[in-house]
Amino acid sequence: MFPQFGATAETLSKASTMVFRIGTDAHLYDDPDDVNIAPLLDSKYDSEKCEALKRLLALIAQGLDVSNFFPQVVKNVASQSLELKKLVYLYLLHYAEKHPNEALLSINCFQKDLGDPNALVRAWALRTMAGIRLHVIAPLVLVAVSKCARDPSVYVRKCAANALPKLHDLRQEEHNSTIEEIVGILLNDHSPAVVGAAAASFASVCPYNLSLIGRNYRKLCEILPDVEEWGQIVLIGILLRYAIARHGLVKESIMSSLKCSENFHAEKHVSDDNMGLGKESSDSWAYDSESVNMVFRCYIESPDEYLSRSSYANRASFELNGAQFTSGKTNDDVKILLYSTSPLLWSNNSAVVLAAAGVHCIMAPKEDVKRIIKPLLFILRSSNASKFVVLNNIQVFAKAMPSLFAPHHEDFFIYSSDSYQVKALKVEILSSIATDSSISSIFKEFQDYIRDPDRRFAAATVAAIGLCALRLPRMAHICVDGLLALTRQGLFLFSYFVLSVCLDRIKVPAARAMIIWMMGEYSSLGEIIPRMLTTVLKYLAWCFTLEALETKLQILNTVSKVLLGATGEHLSTYKKVFSYLVELAECDLNYNVRDRSRFLKKLLSYNFVSEGVEEITCCHVVVDCIFKKQTREVKAESINYRVYLPGSLSHIVLHAAPGYEPLPKPCSLLLDDFNKPEGTCAIVKGAGDHGTSSDPSDNESASDYDSQHSFTGSSSGAHADDNESSEGNENPDPLIQFSDIGNASEIQDGVFHSSPANLGEISNRALESWLEEQPGSSNPGILEQSQACKSLARISIGDVGRRIKRKSHSLLEAANGNGLKVDYSFSSEISTISHLLVCIEVFFKNCSSETITEITLVDEESNIASNDDVPTLVPMEKISSLEPGQTTRMILQVHFHHHLLPLKLALFHDGEKLPVKLWPDIGYFVKPLPMDVQAFADKESRLPGMFEYTRRCTFAGHIEERNKEFGDSLLNKDKYLAICESLAVKMLSNANISLVSVDMPVEAKLEDASGLRLRFSSEILSSSLPCLITITVEGKCSDPLNLSTKVNCEETVFALNLLNRIISFLVEPAY
Amino acid sequence: MPPLMGIEFLCRVSDVLSDYLGGLNEDVIKDNFVIVYELLDEMIDNGFPLTTEPNILREMIAPPNIVSKVLSVVTGNSSNVSDTLPGATGSCIPWRAADPKYANNEVYVDLVEEMDAVINRDGALVKCEVYGEVRVNSHLSGLPDLTLSFANPSILDDVRFHPCVRFRPWESHQILSFVPPDGEFKLMSYRVKKLKSTPIYVKPQLSSDAGKCRVNVLVGIRNDHGKTIDSITLQFQLPPCILSADLTSNTGTVNILGNKTCSWSIGRIPKDKTPSLSGTLVLESELERLHVFPTFRVGFKIMGVALSGLQIDKLDLKTAPSRLYKGFRALTRAGEFEVRS
């Protein structure tokens, strides 16, 4: 109308925004490219560099790839300006993974910054360094983190705690023990801010290592209110897990009320007698014990157990015994947990409130649980998204203890601004907490809701009214009257229509049954309903097999009702539907359904055949009786789906989300666990992991070792020397004999003296020839041999091959794979196809109750142009089917190209695709290269200086082993051999290498293992370069030993990574 | 990560960003993208919140303000990143910047209340409650230790506190004892339930027949608090089956927006007449009568009174400085104030 005015307004507003935007970075965002960025980056002025980086950021924000500036940007990391640093870090973190080599250039600067006096500089350097996520620099980051964990600045320590999960994400197992150690240090920090961050890293790094919490439990509880809110959320969960694992459940809590129900009834009677308000008080304790039990069982059960339970319908599998309970009134640890979490119910952060409420709900004595109600209701007043989450949690609480929420029913009245999901949840909660006294006001509200413009919600309300009627039989007439009033108003026609449309949205069996009942009841009402009945009935027939029991029965009833009332043209259709349904029902699994169908068939067929008026009325009478009984029969809805821990993501999405962990088993954490060395897994995990499988082999290895003749396994014949077997068996003393296959007779009765000083003398030159053959993997007998080098004696340790135990990794958990469990372990087999391929043994196990078909593993990235550098998978044969409980082993061959990043695979089964990740192990990027000592020394001398890497570590494996064998009267066993064996076994089980020799100094002293030396050799798969490993031992036999591990190899980066891997598994305790 | 934690964190991010940028929309974010990047980097690290305390953030990354804008234009230097680590990161009261200095020591305490009410079809008050916040604006030197007490704390149904509030004094005596952050913050929020009356009444009358619906809405003051009720508005969503609407009012203006939302802004209620809205709605051709009725959402503002009746008793400062100025205010707004028809 006024174009000129519009134009001026536009220009005006433009002008005003121009004024407003002065001084902002708007111009950089609008035209990031209008100057040449490259020269700016090389400018000598910080301000120009800053501008260049801001332009780059703007380009990133607009979705462009500016990684080509990486080298120039990295140079600026050395700048002194903090703003510039920050901008460079932002850029670096964005692109570091794309340019690992250039990113390495920045490492020196970070190292320098870590020593800066400014705490902010140190913290940022640490954050960025850890955030770069390159496997190569992980050891450096680890050093930096452990240094920063002791920094005087709180902020830096906090950043160190945050850096730990980043390191852990790299999945370099060699660092795990160090990382856990640092977590322990940080959890013990005196600053609440650090403890919060440490709790977060604990939860993501080692959530099972609860013994770490045990040491600081009290301190953590006391510091909890001062920890910052985000840390509180995580810490509350950890403390709860610890308390349950350590002390079990509180017997006064509602969660264990079922167990104590008898006592509880007794108490109730007492209170009835004593108090005038006895009736009232006993009502308030009337928890829905079945739901409580169900909820509680779900909290503790892992998804695996749930799967197995549901598939075998073994409901009794979960039993609690009295020992798993503790008293909340006498147990100080539980008391302090409740005491320190109770003020958090007033927290400003709703996630904290919910976490604290979860603890109280599970652990608090019954009479104290009510304190969580008001805070929970208070946090309802927030955004729609959080309202939904909170309501979801309240829903479970309310089902378990409706009486506590009943007085607050007003809080669940809806507002028009609520989203549909929130409204539906509120109505459902209302229907479950309604009591005789509140039903009238709730019902009034419901009547208003039925007029809501959102018809889905109106339908949900009608279903809720039905539920209320079922829950409160005394009030049912009000509900029914109300519904009938609706029908009279004609509105019902509409809601009827809506109901039938919504039928497939409403999943609760009780509600479905209710709606179907109404359809049958009012099938002859009005004009429209008879016309749409056919469609509805067809729909019901179609989904009959998928329905729950009560719904099935109701469908049968409804169809027969319709059939009885039907006349005219639809009769034949109804008859068809009816006979179809009856046929289906007769084959039903449930006998109730079968009975009902036979009964109705008989009744109605008789009716149709005779067509007598009297019979029809008779049938009507009979059917009416059934229907009246039926509505009474339907049970109140119980929680019949799976429930997850309050506040968890799984709780909202209703399936076990990745990372979901149920509560630990009550009392699974024993006091003894505190005495265990750090880093051991303190929680007894669910059945079926390696814990059980390793036990027999440990025992076996112990017996194998004390005398190689007394093998119990059938394969022992292949290794044991037959000559000696008889006498070995008779020898009760665990003396170790040294012998030799070739010349057994010469030395067979030589006894190994515990004084090693004379080892050199006993040595037999004649045995040297035997040593030429490849040692290490499967040779029995104990040999000692003087070497060319006079000062060293050579030992041969027997039979380590049998003790090699490959570590099994999990590729797919049964819970995520619909019951298919896939584990893999690296194998020492050499591929028959190409020497570049690594063989991996994959075990497919079907944990579900159904046959899984068409399993195959495919490389996910294979369709991308097959670059030489990308790890590739040799296509695997398909497993056509896997029966329940069956396990199949497959050999997978992968060309890793020395990539340490996980290989993304796609697992197909039953036509379904699941992404999985395979973590490579550098220990298997090599293959054994048998050689003699001479050749080894020769090669070693040609790889000096920069081809040689050494790292030191401590080793305690032999002590663990001795502790295990303690009971087997093996005290006299030779300690040297024990050390050599445990070292060799550890090496050979974790890397594909061959043992060359084991040497010990001739002049070794008693109890002193210093000078012991093991040599291993291998060849890199891709380059066929030899890779030599030497381990030298220092220290006393009975103490943890200091090892110095040396790797000689031409490929230095590979050697360094291999060395790190070796150190890590040497340090790692036996599992 | 628990979902609620994620939602809370996102809310916090949006609070901080709108605090920094004076609003939150696409343009503002584009204009200040560097600051947004820097803030996000500081607020979250590897998926876990790092620094979310606004005071510390403000010290680390300076908010854009007029002075810095002008400076940056003049000098060409626009660094907004602090060179040193804020002292508060290490202290046990991270919400308080280290040792601010003020010439005038002032504390202002505001009670800001929102009234949630539902009035059902019969005109009965189904639910009426107040959600309130105690907002404090403090400009105090050094490390002040404040105590605040209410005259009638028993009316509070439930409370939530800023992290600075010590829990134990509240548990034992219902006294708020705290070291305040600098500047404006929300000290506590509270809820008062089961109130008996609302300050204004809304009486909608809808009658429909013959494809039409007559609407008549009356608004008036129920009981006089002695304070004027400001900016009264009434909003309702027309049912989807309505083709056209013709609505007029005797006071204020009526607007029907594109999404069939009708909004009637009354402002102050005049002394001489009762505001009323009347008119007819035309239904879709097949429909004889209206089956779904709109819900009216009411907005109002009352200065100077806290409708919950909560009263502040006294505010004390331990180690009082020479001159302390204390101020108290109250304000009540409509929250979810709904009248069903």
Side-chain angles (χ1 to χ4, degrees):
Chain A
M1 204 178 267
F2 302 105
Q4 65 274 55
F5 175 72
T8 27
E10 202 170 293
T11 36
L12 263 178
S13 74
K14 256 189 187 167
S16 69
T17 45
M18 282 309 284
V19 172
F20 187 69
R21 287 168 67 165
I22 283 178
T24 66
D25 300 313
H27 61 288
L28 298 177
Y29 190 90
D30 290 345
D31 317 287
D33 274 334
D34 64 349
V35 287
N36 198 350
I37 294 176
L40 281 180
L41 276 173
D42 293 331
S43 152
K44 57 183 174 179
Y45 301 109
D46 277 351
S47 59
E48 285 187 0
K49 288 180 181 171
C50 260
E51 193 195 325
L53 274 162
K54 282 180 179 174
R55 285 175 192 278
L56 286 179
L57 267 188
L59 288 166
I60 292 176
Q62 286 162 25
L64 295 160
D65 183 1
V66 288
S67 58
N68 50 326
F69 290 99
F70 200 90
Q72 283 171 290
V73 175
V74 165
K75 273 189 306 186
N76 290 317
V77 93
S79 153
Q80 285 307 305
S81 153
L82 256 86
E83 188 186 20
L84 189 56
K85 254 190 212 300
K86 182 105 196 167
L87 292 170
V88 172
Y89 289 165
L90 282 172
Y91 179 93
L92 210 73
L93 287 180
H94 203 262
Y95 286 118
E97 262 174 301
K98 265 193 184 171
H99 294 260
N101 294 327
E102 283 96 336
L104 287 179
L105 297 174
S106 59
I107 298 302
N108 278 335
C109 280
F110 289 132
Q111 297 275 45
K112 206 180 94 219
D113 280 356
L114 283 172
D116 199 279
N118 187 343
L120 199 58
V121 174
R122 291 199 299 271
W124 282 357
L126 180 69
R127 277 179 63 190
T128 317
M129 198 166 151
I132 286 180
R133 290 166 199 260
L134 291 180
H135 285 79
V136 195
I137 60 156
L140 292 175
V141 179
L142 192 64
V143 172
V145 171
S146 50
K147 197 177 130 203
C148 288
R150 295 172 182 85
D151 199 277
S153 159
V154 172
Y155 186 72
V156 177
R157 293 205 297 275
K158 194 172 148 189
C159 288
N162 275 327
L164 289 172
K166 297 182 201 169
L167 265 178
H168 184 254
D169 283 351
L170 295 179
R171 294 286 181 110
Q172 289 185 313
E173 279 164 16
E174 60 260 37
H175 298 141
N176 281 357
S177 56
T178 326
I179 292 177
E180 287 183 25
E181 196 181 313
I182 300 173
V183 171
I185 294 171
L186 291 168
L187 275 176
N188 202 16
D189 203 283
H190 57 83
S191 162
V194 181
V195 172
S201 55
F202 174 88
S204 69
V205 170
C206 49
Y208 295 114
N209 192 357
L210 288 177
S211 58
L212 215 54
I213 300 296
R215 267 178 254 148
N216 305 317
Y217 179 75
R218 259 146 202 283
K219 213 188 124 226
L220 288 174
C221 280
E222 277 156 19
I223 213 170
L224 179 64
D226 297 323
V227 171
E228 52 177 14
E229 47 202 325
W230 315 110
Q232 277 173 349
I233 301 165
V234 183
L235 191 53
I236 290 172
I238 296 173
L239 292 174
L240 173 66
R241 275 163 203 278
Y242 170 79
I244 286 188
R246 176 75 186 81
H247 299 292
L249 302 153
V250 180
K251 61 171 176 280
E252 293 92 351
S253 71
I254 48 163
M255 285 303 170
S256 39
S257 62
L258 190 78
K259 196 74 196 166
C260 319
S261 56
E262 277 103 276
N263 308 347
F264 154 65
H265 280 302
E267 276 170 34
K268 197 171 82 178
H269 290 303
V270 172
S271 69
D272 273 354
D273 295 341
N274 289 353
M275 295 150 64
L277 293 165
K279 181 72 190 145
E280 185 94 10
S281 72
S282 66
D283 265 351
S284 72
W285 294 123
Y287 299 104
D288 185 348
S289 57
E290 197 182 330
S291 326
V292 168
N293 190 33
M294 173 74 204
V295 168
F296 170 60
R297 182 165 51 198
C298 288
Y299 285 168
I300 293 209
E301 261 173 351
S302 69
D304 285 348
E305 289 170 86
Y306 177 70
L307 275 180
S308 63
R309 186 165 61 81
S310 58
S311 56
Y312 301 117
N314 181 11
R315 295 212 132 221
S317 68
F318 185 75
E319 287 284 323
L320 286 172
N321 57 40
Q324 285 173 323
F325 287 99
T326 180
S327 167
K329 286 176 181 137
T330 53
N331 190 312
D332 287 346
D333 276 3
V334 175
K335 260 201 286 189
I336 193 172
L337 175 64
L338 293 174
Y339 180 75
S340 56
T341 48
S342 59
L344 301 183
L345 292 171
W346 292 330
S347 169
N348 224 352
N349 188 317
S350 49
V352 177
V353 177
L354 186 58
V359 170
H360 279 256
C361 181
I362 293 169
M363 297 299 274
K366 270 190 217 108
E367 55 272 23
D368 290 346
V369 172
K370 57 179 180 291
R371 68 191 310 171
I372 71 171
I373 307 295
K374 279 184 181 178
L376 275 178
L377 296 175
F378 200 172
I379 57 176
L380 269 183
R381 203 184 191 284
S382 44
S383 68
N384 254 331
S386 48
K387 231 185 235 177
F388 177 70
V389 176
V390 175
L391 278 171
N392 247 315
N393 286 287
I394 289 182
Q395 188 192 17
V396 172
F397 292 140
K399 282 203 171 124
M401 35 190 182
S403 52
L404 289 184
F405 285 93
H408 302 277
H409 59 89
E410 280 179 7
D411 285 301
F412 300 107
F413 288 173
I414 62 145
Y415 292 114
S416 56
S417 56
D418 289 339
S419 66
Y420 166 68
Q421 288 84 354
V422 169
K423 285 176 182 169
L425 269 173
K426 279 186 170 175
V427 168
E428 207 186 325
I429 293 172
L430 276 178
S431 70
S432 66
I433 61 170
T435 59
D436 289 352
S437 53
S438 62
I439 184 71
S440 55
S441 61
I442 291 178
F443 191 67
K444 256 201 188 114
E445 279 288 301
F446 279 171
Q447 281 178 322
D448 278 1
Y449 299 163
I450 289 171
R451 282 153 210 275
D452 195 277
D454 184 351
R455 299 321 283 162
R456 285 182 301 165
F457 171 57
T461 310
V462 173
I465 295 176
L467 283 179
C468 280
L470 291 175
R471 268 196 76 242
L472 306 165
R474 267 177 286 173
M475 294 296 141
H477 66 276
I478 300 185
C479 304
V480 175
D481 284 353
L483 286 179
L484 287 177
L486 281 180
T487 47
R488 263 181 250 118
Q489 284 166 11
L491 227 171
F492 181 69
L493 281 185
F494 193 47
S495 33
Y496 184 95
F497 175 72
V498 168
L499 276 177
S500 46
V501 169
C502 296
L503 199 52
D504 59 334
R505 284 212 198 86
I506 295 171
K507 298 288 180 229
V508 185
R512 285 184 77 99
M514 195 69 204
I515 296 166
I516 295 167
W517 173 78
M518 286 169 66
M519 282 175 184
E521 198 66 30
Y522 302 108
S523 58
S524 53
L525 210 74
E527 295 288 301
I528 311 165
I529 293 179
R531 262 184 276 154
M532 54 185 269
L533 257 179
T534 38
T535 328
V536 176
L537 289 186
K538 277 178 191 161
Y539 166 77
L540 290 178
W542 170 71
C543 59
F544 181 76
T545 47
L546 305 171
E547 297 292 350
L549 172 62
E550 52 186 308
T551 324
K552 278 179 179 171
L553 294 176
Q554 201 53 259
I555 291 177
L556 284 174
N557 286 350
T558 300
V559 174
S560 39
K561 238 188 274 188
V562 170
L563 191 57
L564 279 174
T567 48
E569 77 259 51
H570 293 302
L571 190 62
S572 58
T573 325
Y574 295 158
K575 268 186 182 167
K576 266 184 212 155
V577 172
F578 178 73
S579 52
Y580 171 72
L581 274 174
V582 167
E583 257 171 58
L584 272 184
E586 277 177 339
C587 309
D588 199 88
L589 284 176
N590 189 291
Y591 61 86
N592 263 335
V593 179
R594 293 198 299 269
D595 282 358
R596 177 72 54 90
S597 69
R598 289 202 195 96
F599 169 69
L600 288 173
K601 193 181 171 188
K602 255 298 185 279
L603 196 68
L604 295 181
S605 62
Y606 178 68
N607 173 23
F608 289 129
V609 172
S610 70
E611 292 195 326
V613 182
E614 280 171 32
E615 277 85 359
I616 293 178
T617 43
C618 164
C619 284
H620 271 293
V621 171
V622 173
V623 172
D624 278 352
C625 288
I626 298 165
F627 295 144
K628 270 176 192 149
K629 193 158 169 284
Q630 178 64 22
T631 47
R632 293 276 182 263
E633 248 176 21
V634 179
K635 271 190 236 144
E637 178 204 2
S638 62
I639 305 173
N640 47 2
Y641 51 88
R642 179 134 171 74
V643 180
Y644 296 87
L645 280 180
S648 65
L649 176 63
S650 307
H651 184 101
I652 305 301
V653 296
L654 287 179
H655 64 78
Y660 176 78
E661 287 296 338
L663 289 176
K665 295 274 174 290
C667 297
S668 54
L669 183 69
L670 305 171
L671 258 186
D672 306 347
D673 291 325
F674 294 110
N675 305 330
K676 277 194 184 173
E678 269 181 48
T680 51
C681 181
I683 290 295
V684 183
K685 289 221 270 166
D689 54 3
H690 5 271
T692 48
S693 62
S694 68
D695 284 341
S697 63
D698 283 346
N699 298 338
E700 198 184 359
S701 62
S703 59
D704 286 352
Y705 181 63
D706 62 3
S707 110
Q708 69 265 42
H709 324 298
S710 56
F711 291 132
T712 49
S714 58
S715 62
S716 59
H719 306 287
D721 190 346
D722 288 338
N723 295 348
E724 296 181 350
S725 59
S726 55
E727 75 179 78
N729 277 339
E730 286 154 21
N731 189 357
D733 207 51
L735 286 181
I736 291 149
Q737 311 209 342
F738 55 100
S739 62
D740 151 41
I741 288 175
N743 312 43
S745 55
E746 289 175 37
I747 50 160
Q748 70 173 212
D749 47 3
V751 169
F752 186 91
H753 301 287
S754 49
S755 155
N758 50 7
L759 284 178
E761 280 98 60
I762 308 172
S763 64
N764 188 341
R765 220 166 247 285
L767 300 179
E768 205 164 4
S769 58
W770 178 81
L771 277 173
E772 302 298 322
E773 128 187 23
Q774 190 209 323
S777 54
S778 62
N779 293 317
I782 297 130
L783 285 176
E784 44 198 45
Q785 178 70 32
S786 75
Q787 218 195 336
C789 170
K790 291 289 179 236
S791 62
L792 287 171
R794 196 182 304 165
I795 313 174
S796 165
I797 48 175
D799 197 38
V800 283
R802 301 191 68 252
R803 296 183 50 195
I804 290 175
K805 200 172 63 209
R806 308 261 174 222
K807 192 172 179 182
S808 162
H809 312 265
S810 168
L811 194 62
L812 181 72
E813 292 293 341
N816 300 338
N818 298 338
L820 180 67
K821 182 171 156 70
V822 187
D823 290 328
Y824 65 96
S825 65
F826 289 90
S827 117
S828 55
E829 277 177 53
I830 307 291
S831 165
T832 48
I833 302 169
S834 155
H835 65 96
L836 295 174
L837 298 172
V838 177
C839 291
I840 301 165
E841 269 182 291
V842 187
F843 298 93
F844 297 87
K845 183 169 187 210
N846 186 349
C847 301
S848 73
S849 57
E850 281 162 22
T851 308
I852 297 174
T853 54
E854 300 284 302
I855 307 168
T856 184
L857 265 174
V858 181
D859 196 343
E860 195 155 63
E861 285 153 349
S862 58
N863 44 359
I864 304 165
S866 58
N867 194 332
D868 283 347
D869 267 1
V870 175
T872 45
L873 177 77
V874 175
M876 161 194 133
E877 312 170 31
K878 203 171 259 185
I879 301 175
S880 56
S881 78
L882 201 59
E883 296 300 320
Q886 193 189 346
T887 306
T888 304
R889 170 179 171 274
M890 295 289 282
I891 296 288
L892 213 60
Q893 305 191 18
V894 186
H895 193 179
F896 279 111
H897 292 285
H898 286 195
H899 276 259
L900 288 175
L901 291 175
L903 181 58
K904 285 179 190 155
L905 300 177
L907 179 72
F908 289 92
H909 73 82
D910 297 331
E912 205 177 321
K913 180 185 168 190
L914 292 164
V916 292
K917 279 184 180 176
L918 186 90
W919 296 90
D921 185 343
I922 194 172
Y924 292 88
F925 289 2
V926 293
K927 65 176 181 191
L929 178 67
M931 61 169 75
D932 59 16
V933 183
Q934 215 60 55
F936 187 96
D938 221 36
K939 285 222 164 73
E940 193 179 12
S941 65
R942 269 185 264 136
L943 294 167
M946 59 181 291
F947 299 124
E948 185 176 296
Y949 289 94
T950 312
R951 269 190 71 182
R952 308 181 73 85
C953 67
T954 54
F955 179 71
H958 62 293
I959 299 178
E960 285 167 35
E961 225 158 80
R962 195 178 323 137
N963 290 342
K964 268 186 217 151
E965 290 161 5
F966 196 74
D968 303 346
S969 70
L970 279 167
L971 289 166
N972 305 344
K973 183 173 132 181
D974 182 64
K975 286 166 180 150
Y976 281 86
L977 279 166
I979 294 168
C980 297
E981 268 212 11
S982 54
L983 263 176
V985 167
K986 197 102 195 207
M987 290 290 287
L988 296 175
S989 335
N990 285 291
N992 199 8
I993 50 180
S994 62
L995 178 65
V996 175
S997 74
V998 182
D999 296 327
M1000 63 177 299
V1002 173
E1003 62 275 16
K1005 294 181 196 70
L1006 195 67
E1007 282 289 302
D1008 191 354
S1010 301
L1012 209 59
R1013 180 172 299 169
L1014 285 91
R1015 294 189 170 109
F1016 301 89
S1017 67
S1018 60
E1019 186 181 86
I1020 302 174
L1021 285 178
S1022 59
S1023 53
S1024 299
L1025 290 169
C1027 189
L1028 310 175
I1029 303 156
T1030 314
I1031 299 180
T1032 315
V1033 180
E1034 270 175 55
K1036 291 258 168 59
C1037 288
S1038 46
D1039 296 338
L1041 301 166
N1042 287 317
L1043 301 187
S1044 125
T1045 309
K1046 188 176 78 172
V1047 176
N1048 293 65
C1049 181
E1050 268 180 67
E1051 210 168 297
T1052 51
V1053 177
F1054 183 85
L1056 194 61
N1057 279 314
L1058 181 63
L1059 180 61
N1060 287 336
R1061 171 80 189 119
I1062 292 173
I1063 296 295
S1064 82
F1065 64 66
L1066 284 177
V1067 170
E1068 185 176 284
Y1071 45 89
Chain B
M1 189 196 268
L4 206 49
M5 179 172 167
I7 295 168
E8 275 280 330
F9 178 75
L10 289 176
C11 292
R12 193 67 55 90
V13 170
S14 94
D15 286 352
V16 167
L17 284 182
S18 43
D19 183 36
Y20 262 74
L21 312 176
L24 197 57
N25 56 48
E26 195 182 336
D27 288 336
V28 170
I29 289 184
K30 272 184 190 165
D31 290 355
N32 299 284
F33 71 100
V34 177
I35 283 192
V36 172
Y37 263 108
E38 287 169 348
L39 275 175
L40 286 179
D41 183 56
E42 193 52 48
M43 290 185 75
I44 193 161
D45 185 18
N46 193 32
F48 194 79
L50 179 67
T51 311
T52 50
E53 184 51 50
N55 265 305
I56 299 181
L57 284 174
R58 221 171 283 134
E59 269 188 75
M60 274 185 165
I61 299 153
N65 55 29
I66 295 298
V67 181
S68 73
K69 278 181 192 172
V70 173
L71 260 182
S72 74
V73 171
V74 174
T75 61
N77 177 16
S78 61
S79 173
N80 55 356
V81 178
S82 153
D83 280 345
T84 52
L85 188 66
T89 51
S91 83
C92 51
I93 40 169
W95 54 86
R96 188 166 177 86
D99 216 22
K101 292 263 189 299
Y102 291 101
N104 299 316
N105 286 300
E106 307 164 318
V107 191
Y108 299 99
V109 181
D110 292 353
L111 293 181
V112 181
E113 301 197 332
E114 284 184 11
M115 176 172 265
D116 292 357
V118 174
I119 294 156
N120 73 5
R121 302 160 50 79
D122 310 334
L125 188 62
V126 172
K127 155 176 169 182
C128 180
E129 59 182 42
V130 159
Y131 167 87
E133 291 178 359
V134 180
R135 306 195 69 89
V136 177
N137 193 354
S138 89
H139 298 282
L140 297 168
S141 315
L143 204 66
D145 198 334
L146 292 167
T147 50
L148 178 71
S149 58
F150 296 108
N152 46 354
S154 58
I155 65 164
L156 299 177
D157 182 67
D158 198 26
V159 286
R160 287 168 79 182
F161 297 123
H162 188 272
C164 69
V165 176
R166 300 185 184 99
F167 294 123
R168 302 301 167 204
W170 176 261
E171 231 170 11
S172 49
H173 303 104
Q174 269 86 55
I175 290 172
L176 291 167
S177 159
F178 58 99
V179 176
D182 209 28
E184 201 181 331
F185 69 101
K186 186 172 91 184
L187 178 68
M188 72 179 266
S189 46
Y190 57 87
R191 207 153 77 129
V192 180
K193 283 169 78 171
K194 299 209 159 73
L195 293 179
K196 292 285 176 280
S197 68
T198 55
I200 59 174
Y201 67 84
V202 176
K203 285 187 178 151
Q205 285 178 326
L206 279 85
S207 57
S208 77
D209 52 24
K212 288 221 166 96
C213 176
R214 257 180 300 282
V215 182
N216 186 26
V217 189
L218 290 176
V219 178
I221 297 177
R222 188 183 294 278
N223 43 8
D224 213 341
H225 291 270
K227 308 276 180 188
T228 48
I229 304 179
D230 278 324
S231 32
I232 299 175
T233 58
L234 196 78
Q235 266 199 354
F236 61 98
Q237 182 79 40
L238 294 172
C241 54
I242 290 203
L243 281 183
S244 66
D246 174 30
L247 298 166
T248 50
S249 67
N250 61 355
T251 345
T253 52
V254 184
N255 280 315
I256 298 175
L257 307 174
N259 55 357
K260 287 197 172 171
T261 308
C262 176
S263 108
W264 175 27
S265 54
I266 301 166
R268 253 179 230 191
I269 291 184
K271 288 225 165 50
D272 50 342
K273 59 183 171 183
T274 308
S276 76
L277 174 80
S278 54
T280 49
L281 308 174
V282 180
L283 308 184
E284 273 174 1
S285 51
E286 310 93 81
L287 276 171
E288 184 72 8
R289 292 166 56 202
L290 195 62
H291 292 303
V292 290
F293 295 100
T295 301
F296 295 85
R297 312 186 59 200
V298 184
F300 61 83
K301 200 164 95 177
I302 311 173
M303 301 295 289
V305 68
L307 281 182
S308 67
L310 187 71
Q311 282 168 354
I312 292 174
D313 185 29
K314 59 181 178 199
L315 175 70
D316 287 328
L317 178 62
K318 275 184 208 164
T319 67
S322 50
R323 226 158 47 85
L324 172 66
Y325 180 74
K326 293 185 270 192
F328 301 94
R329 277 188 308 185
L331 164 70
T332 301
R333 281 195 296 250
E336 304 272 357
F337 197 115
E338 294 188 352
V339 181
R340 301 194 188 124
S341 61

